[in-house]
Amino acid sequence: MIRFLLFILRPFRLLFYKSGVDFDKMITIIRTKLTIDNRTSKNINSNKTKQINSALLQQGFSMLVMGTFALLMTWSKSGLTTAILLYHSMILVMLILSLLSEYTQMLFDSRDTHILLRLPVDSRTISTAKLITIGYYMLFLSFCSALIPTLVFIFTKGVATGLLLLSATLLNTLFALLLTNLVYMGCMRFASGENFRNILSYIQILMIVLVVCSYQLVANIPDNLILELTASDPWWFYLLPPVWFTALTELFLAPSATVYLYAAIGIVLPFISAYVTIKWFAPYFAAHLNPANEAPVKTARAGKEKTARFLAALFTRSAMQKSGFMLSWRLAAGNRKYKEAILPSIAYIIVLIGLQIFSIWKKGDFNVSDFMGFFPLYLTLLIGYTIIDNMKYNELGDYFWLYRTKPLYRPGSILLGAFKALYLKYFVPTFLFVSIPLIYIGGLAIIPDILFIFTAITITTLVATLGISPAFPFSRERSTYNSGKVLVFILITMLVTAVFSAIHMGLRYIPYGIPAGILLLWSILFLIAHKISRTSWTRLEKIAG
């Protein structure tokens, strides 16, 4: 793969030289970077490295599944045009999200720049090599996403249509690089350093919200409506990249002058974007990749902690709990990676909940006396789990030894205080945000039901995170995070939700059943919290390994 990439770059040697890029040195940097990345990967259970054939295989497999699901599942529920449109939309958004989240560090990482600039190579060559390396990764991932859909199209729609789908996917990737570079330039113009990364995080959240809303919208649009829109040729279709690549895919399936025009745009613009990236974006990034041009790092000022201290005094029962509360609150406030891990999930689930409430309310059958009326609140259990479980991890390594050096005679109190801090900081506002529309629709009479659900969710989250696998805040290395357990937790969540909802609905038919249930759950919650506060060093050391 590396040799093939370098081979297809050689015909453009003159173009690179005219752009001020030393082609031979750029090729050397690309070959070195890809060789290192493809041979070295973190061992998931240790800090040592191991040799593997390709570090991209896992990401490629994920894109393979997502691309197949996006096209074939939508095709099974709606028409072919709708499925192709949704597929190209998903590819465009997922590639941009990958670029903003995983490959931003590669582009703006100054560690290799500090080394290379001491050699006879200029920053423009370095930035161009980084952009092409990132483009290689994106093209590989998009090829994986299109592999099975291409084979399906070849056998069902013909070889030509299958190859057009693959070509449109690769062109979609080039255009995604252009859009991402525009985002980079816009952010870099108004922010730098930590603010730049924060803006990128907010953009990721916004795009996740748009993906969820778009999927719900597009998947329910009748295919004949999309065909009618295409036939009417509205002007705003020319502004939608997925429409261009859909037209290119259907070039032989639905030939028309409009389809030809959209397909031509989908072919020409990606190549123009590639030229613009090399000609103008690379020099712009070069100025920002040069360490001599970096702005001095400003030390973040400690924010006002009156709210944190007030909540700690109100909800903690010992000095050790208060220490864990304030420690976790402060660490989370300055931890961008933690926010990147939880905020997209919060936004995703809130949008799903909002769409569900709106859909039920629009149909006029919203009834808070049955399970479906309260189901949006039960869904927030996923948010609570995400917030607390990610509290255990950091990007810098294992810090359990640091806590062990401290004279903590009750380490469990630190855990409980940390839980309370992040639960109050992130989950409680989210839960209130979801509860307000239900209270508006169902009236004040459902407040006891909401308190019952909140207590049940708190118990489940506390047991699932700190009860089963306790850990100090931000003490475990992120590489030990097991994403497979999230799926297991979702399945357990469905079971727990069914149990609590059955109890909840049953108590509604008993006089004073809900208040009695709340008191019972509070008693259980108190016992569980007391048990966690008594967590010993022996158990923590055993789990830490």
Side-chain angles (χ1 to χ4, degrees):
M1 291 291 291
I2 298 177
R3 292 181 180 178
F4 177 74
L5 172 65
L6 301 180
F7 174 77
I8 62 177
L9 287 176
R10 295 192 183 280
F12 302 98
R13 176 192 294 265
L14 183 61
L15 176 64
F16 285 107
Y17 275 123
K18 287 185 176 181
S19 300
V21 177
D22 190 319
F23 182 80
D24 294 328
K25 294 178 181 178
M26 182 193 71
I27 290 294
T28 302
I29 295 173
I30 294 174
R31 181 188 293 111
T32 304
K33 179 64 177 173
L34 292 178
T35 301
I36 293 174
D37 290 346
N38 284 350
R39 289 182 179 177
T40 307
S41 175
K42 280 275 188 180
N43 189 325
I44 197 168
N45 292 320
S46 69
N47 293 327
K48 298 179 180 180
T49 57
K50 63 178 182 180
Q51 301 299 318
I52 61 173
N53 292 327
S54 176
L56 289 175
L57 287 180
Q58 292 183 351
Q59 284 183 299
F61 179 76
S62 298
M63 290 297 293
L64 178 71
V65 175
M66 293 179 61
T68 305
F69 177 83
L71 181 64
L72 300 184
M73 290 298 292
T74 309
W75 191 5
S76 65
K77 298 195 308 183
S78 57
L80 179 61
T81 302
T82 303
I84 298 175
L85 179 63
L86 187 62
Y87 165 79
H88 283 299
S89 301
M90 187 277 294
I91 293 298
L92 180 65
V93 173
M94 292 305 299
L95 289 175
I96 294 177
L97 284 175
S98 296
L99 285 165
L100 292 178
S101 59
E102 299 181 20
Y103 295 97
T104 300
Q105 180 66 25
M106 179 187 298
L107 179 61
F108 296 100
D109 190 0
S110 60
R111 291 174 298 181
D112 52 355
T113 306
H114 279 280
I115 298 174
L116 291 173
L117 285 181
R118 288 169 171 77
L119 303 175
V121 55
D122 59 276
S123 57
R124 177 177 297 191
T125 301
I126 297 173
S127 60
T128 303
K130 289 187 175 184
L131 288 171
I132 292 177
T133 303
I134 294 173
Y136 163 79
Y137 288 135
M138 293 298 102
L139 287 171
F140 175 80
L141 295 178
S142 61
F143 176 81
C144 291
S145 68
L147 183 59
I148 293 180
T150 298
L151 295 176
V152 172
F153 270 42
I154 287 176
F155 287 108
T156 59
K157 302 297 179 180
V159 176
T161 301
L163 294 179
L164 283 175
L165 175 66
L166 178 61
S167 301
T169 303
L170 299 179
L171 292 173
N172 197 348
T173 305
L174 293 178
F175 194 77
L177 287 171
L178 173 66
L179 293 181
T180 308
N181 288 328
L182 291 175
V183 172
Y184 285 148
M185 289 186 65
C187 294
M188 292 166 65
R189 190 173 184 85
F190 300 103
S192 61
E194 191 68 20
N195 290 332
F196 170 73
R197 293 179 173 86
N198 290 336
I199 292 175
L200 291 182
S201 299
Y202 298 142
I203 293 175
Q204 292 175 48
I205 296 171
L206 177 61
M207 294 190 66
I208 288 175
V209 173
L210 292 177
V211 169
V212 178
C213 296
S214 301
Y215 180 81
Q216 296 292 327
L217 179 64
V218 176
N220 291 286
I221 293 179
D223 199 57
N224 58 349
L225 178 59
I226 294 182
L227 293 176
E228 291 175 5
L229 284 173
T230 306
S232 62
D233 192 22
W235 64 269
W236 47 271
F237 260 35
Y238 292 92
L239 305 178
L240 301 179
V243 174
W244 313 336
F245 304 119
T246 300
L248 179 60
T249 305
E250 293 191 318
L251 197 62
F252 297 137
L253 298 179
S256 66
T258 303
V259 171
Y260 291 151
L261 180 58
Y262 287 141
I265 296 174
I267 294 174
V268 174
L269 275 186
F271 285 107
I272 294 177
S273 68
Y275 176 78
V276 169
T277 298
I278 296 174
K279 182 68 176 179
W280 284 289
F281 287 167
Y284 184 83
F285 292 139
H288 291 79
L289 290 172
N290 192 335
N293 296 333
E294 291 181 355
V297 178
K298 297 181 179 180
T299 304
R301 295 178 58 187
K304 295 181 179 180
E305 296 184 347
K306 291 183 179 180
T307 302
R309 294 185 183 277
F310 173 77
L311 293 175
L314 189 62
F315 290 99
T316 58
R317 302 179 64 248
S318 67
M320 196 68 68
Q321 274 193 38
K322 186 175 181 179
S323 298
F325 188 102
M326 296 304 300
L327 174 66
S328 183
W329 186 286
R330 291 165 179 165
L331 290 176
N335 194 324
R336 179 175 53 85
K337 290 293 184 180
Y338 174 71
K339 294 177 181 178
E340 288 179 355
I342 66 170
L343 292 182
S345 300
I346 293 175
Y348 176 79
I349 296 173
I350 286 179
V351 172
L352 284 180
I353 292 173
L355 291 173
Q356 183 185 27
I357 293 176
F358 178 76
S359 176
I360 298 175
W361 175 78
K362 187 176 180 181
K363 292 178 182 178
D365 59 354
F366 192 94
N367 184 5
V368 294
S369 64
D370 60 17
F371 168 70
M372 291 307 299
F374 293 107
F375 183 68
L377 289 177
Y378 282 104
L379 279 179
T380 58
L381 175 59
L382 297 174
I383 297 177
Y385 176 82
T386 301
I387 291 171
I388 303 303
D389 192 58
N390 279 277
M391 174 190 73
K392 305 173 185 177
Y393 303 99
N394 71 84
E395 307 296 327
L396 302 177
D398 188 354
Y399 280 100
F400 177 80
W401 63 270
L402 182 61
Y403 287 94
R404 195 66 180 93
T405 61
K406 306 300 178 182
L408 305 176
Y409 64 97
R410 282 190 180 176
S413 296
I414 296 290
L415 306 183
L416 190 58
F419 172 87
K420 292 178 179 179
L422 299 188
Y423 207 68
L424 289 170
K425 186 174 185 177
Y426 294 108
F427 178 76
V428 172
T430 303
F431 189 85
L432 290 175
F433 181 79
V434 176
S435 301
I436 290 174
L438 296 180
I439 295 175
Y440 175 78
I441 297 172
L444 298 178
I446 68 170
I447 291 180
D449 298 275
I450 293 176
L451 290 176
F452 180 93
I453 297 172
F454 175 80
T455 311
I457 289 174
T458 304
I459 292 173
T460 307
T461 303
L462 188 58
V463 172
T465 53
L466 300 183
I468 297 176
S469 179
F472 288 111
F474 306 103
S475 62
R476 293 181 182 174
E477 189 175 6
R478 173 66 64 176
S479 61
T480 63
Y481 181 79
N482 182 8
S483 58
K485 69 180 179 182
V486 177
L487 179 60
V488 176
F489 179 78
I490 292 175
L491 297 177
I492 296 176
T493 300
M494 295 173 62
L495 178 60
V496 172
T497 301
V499 172
F500 275 119
S501 61
I503 297 174
H504 181 198
M505 293 299 107
L507 291 175
R508 289 182 63 87
Y509 293 99
I510 301 175
Y512 303 103
I514 298 298
I518 293 174
L519 292 176
L520 178 61
L521 290 181
W522 280 354
S523 301
I524 296 173
L525 178 60
F526 176 80
L527 293 175
I528 294 174
H530 180 73
K531 180 70 174 178
I532 290 177
S533 68
R534 299 287 178 175
T535 303
S536 64
W537 278 111
T538 303
R539 188 179 181 210
L540 289 171
E541 290 173 348
K542 182 178 179 181
I543 293 175

